[in-house]
Amino acid sequence: MKIIPISLPTPFYIGPVNVYLIAEDPITLIDTGPKTKEANEALHEGLRKARLRVSDVRRIVLTHAHEDHCGLARSVRDQAKDAEVLVHAWETGHRVGRLEYEEHRALLVRAGVPRDEVQTMRKMYDGVRQYADSFEADEYGELRDEEELEFATGTLRILHTPGHTPGSCSFVREADRTIIAGDCVLKRITPNPVLSPDPIDPTKRFASLSEYLVSLARLRSFAPTLVHGGHGDAVHDFEELFNRYFRAIQERQAQVIRLLPKSGATAWEIARQMFPDTDDVHRFLSVSEAVAHLDLAHSEGKIGLEMADGTEVYRPQ
Ligand SMILES: [Zn+2]
Ligand SMILES: [Zn+2]
């Protein structure tokens, strides 16, 4: 069972995205790339090199529903005459190919993001949406933790590895401890635990970073020999990456605690201090990052948190 990486261009800052072809019955594509002409052409070319056509794809599996990974899913499915599309149920806000703006808006306001900034972020959502087609609720099947994707000569076990998004999944081939991890594992950068509504109770926010740490530990328990990520080169030394991520998370936490004034601050205020020069999408990601680290510090009892006028204020202990 051969896993063939195909790199596709994206219009996003992160650069090309990796999708994975398993050219074996049923022919399966893990992620599809964004809905752009360039990505579509590169996908066709990648399949052609494997002596396949898009119409041969029988199954589309999504690691998560960010536009750079899921954008072409509908188009591939249509060209492949109703290939099955599988995604984890917790990709609620994302699985239909768009971000649930209203739920995000409430989370941003609570994090102290000013009204005009929220508006700017709304425009950003609209801009990103064009890179993915939507799905209706009955148009995809569910990826379930610990179930197996079967192929003619092997299986991939589904691992629900939330953190980057609530419904992120990884896939492990236990025979040689190879993992396809989407944006859960990226060789060069620490993945952003994106600010998301909780999939069960959307009025709360998802504990992205705590969940992410559990997911990383779970991947580590397989002692992976090779991890294919959503962007960049494959990771051969997972242990090194695990320790590097862990250190980066501890350093970031120390930084957010250090930045907290005695009088307290919102996640937005901390984000502006951490990343003063960011704009557009990166402002949203910087708030995401601040919230994730402040929440983790709070859950570990290192800082306090209280509501003041509809926003959350973190305070040093
Ligand atoms: Zn992503
Ligand atoms: Zn990505």
Side-chain angles (χ1 to χ4, degrees):
M1 192 179 105
K2 209 170 158 203
I3 297 169
I4 304 169
I6 304 174
S7 173
L8 306 177
T10 79
F12 303 112
Y13 177 79
I14 187 120
V17 64
N18 299 321
V19 307
Y20 296 93
L21 168 68
I22 294 149
E24 183 174 299
D25 208 26
I27 291 165
T28 298
L29 204 52
I30 299 187
D31 288 342
T32 62
K35 194 182 85 173
T36 64
K37 188 167 156 282
E38 294 77 14
N40 191 38
E41 282 170 9
L43 179 63
H44 277 77
E45 182 56 28
L47 287 163
R48 210 168 12 245
K49 279 193 188 137
R51 298 174 193 283
L52 290 169
R53 284 178 304 210
V54 173
S55 56
D56 296 321
V57 174
R58 300 311 322 139
R59 183 162 60 185
I60 300 157
V61 176
L62 300 174
T63 59
H64 65 300
H66 278 161
E67 285 74 5
D68 48 340
H69 297 260
C70 75
L72 281 170
R74 173 181 277 275
S75 158
V76 171
R77 188 204 63 166
D78 291 349
Q79 292 174 67
K81 296 188 186 61
D82 294 328
E84 182 182 26
V85 180
L86 297 171
V87 63
H88 193 276
W90 279 14
E91 280 304 85
T92 45
H94 295 288
R95 65 184 169 182
V96 290
R98 63 186 177 84
L99 303 163
E100 289 297 336
Y101 177 74
E102 280 311 317
E103 290 164 354
H104 270 87
R105 198 189 62 82
L107 297 185
L108 291 170
V109 168
R110 261 173 48 201
V113 179
R115 208 171 279 269
D116 56 330
E117 287 287 343
V118 174
Q119 280 302 329
T120 311
M121 288 176 189
R122 155 139 237 174
K123 286 198 195 103
M124 172 207 97
Y125 283 124
D126 292 342
V128 170
R129 259 187 209 182
Q130 64 179 299
Y131 298 113
D133 282 323
S134 299
F135 277 99
E136 298 301 326
D138 59 352
E139 288 184 305
Y140 46 81
E142 262 182 46
L143 288 173
R144 293 191 184 86
D145 190 48
E146 291 289 347
E147 288 191 357
E148 299 203 319
L149 296 173
E150 292 185 7
F151 295 88
T153 65
T155 59
L156 283 178
R157 201 207 297 186
I158 301 163
L159 302 177
H160 177 209
T161 46
H164 175 63
T165 62
S168 284
C169 282
S170 302
F171 306 92
V172 57
R173 178 169 62 187
E174 285 170 274
D176 63 356
R177 308 197 317 260
T178 293
I179 296 178
I180 298 171
D183 285 357
C184 189
V185 175
L186 302 176
K187 187 162 184 175
R188 302 215 173 278
I189 50 168
T190 324
N192 194 302
V194 179
L195 179 65
S196 299
D198 187 289
I200 308 296
D201 178 358
T203 63
K204 296 206 169 80
R205 67 177 167 256
F206 190 63
S208 313
L209 190 51
S210 333
E211 292 283 345
Y212 182 62
L213 291 172
V214 174
S215 296
L216 270 187
R218 188 168 178 210
L219 292 182
R220 188 192 194 192
S221 73
F222 287 90
T225 56
L226 182 63
V227 183
H228 293 290
H231 305 272
D233 294 338
V235 173
H236 294 271
D237 189 349
F238 184 77
E239 204 54 22
E240 182 275 330
L241 176 134
F242 180 87
N243 288 307
R244 183 156 46 87
Y245 275 13
F246 215 81
R247 271 197 311 277
I249 290 166
Q250 281 175 327
E251 281 165 19
R252 208 17 68 90
Q253 183 181 82
Q255 185 192 13
V256 298
I257 293 174
R258 215 169 36 238
L259 287 172
L260 271 187
K262 277 213 167 55
S263 54
T266 64
W268 165 254
E269 288 161 348
I270 296 298
R272 296 311 296 146
Q273 287 190 62
M274 282 161 78
F275 310 99
D277 300 324
T278 50
D279 55 12
D280 303 334
V281 63
H282 302 107
R283 281 217 185 177
F284 170 72
L285 293 176
S286 72
V287 178
S288 247
E289 181 95 359
V291 168
H293 290 279
L294 289 162
D295 274 356
L296 185 65
H298 176 243
S299 72
E300 290 176 351
K302 294 174 181 167
I303 59 174
L305 170 61
E306 57 201 52
M307 283 301 274
D309 293 333
T311 61
E312 285 163 321
V313 176
Y314 299 88
R315 283 182 209 285
Q317 289 285 45

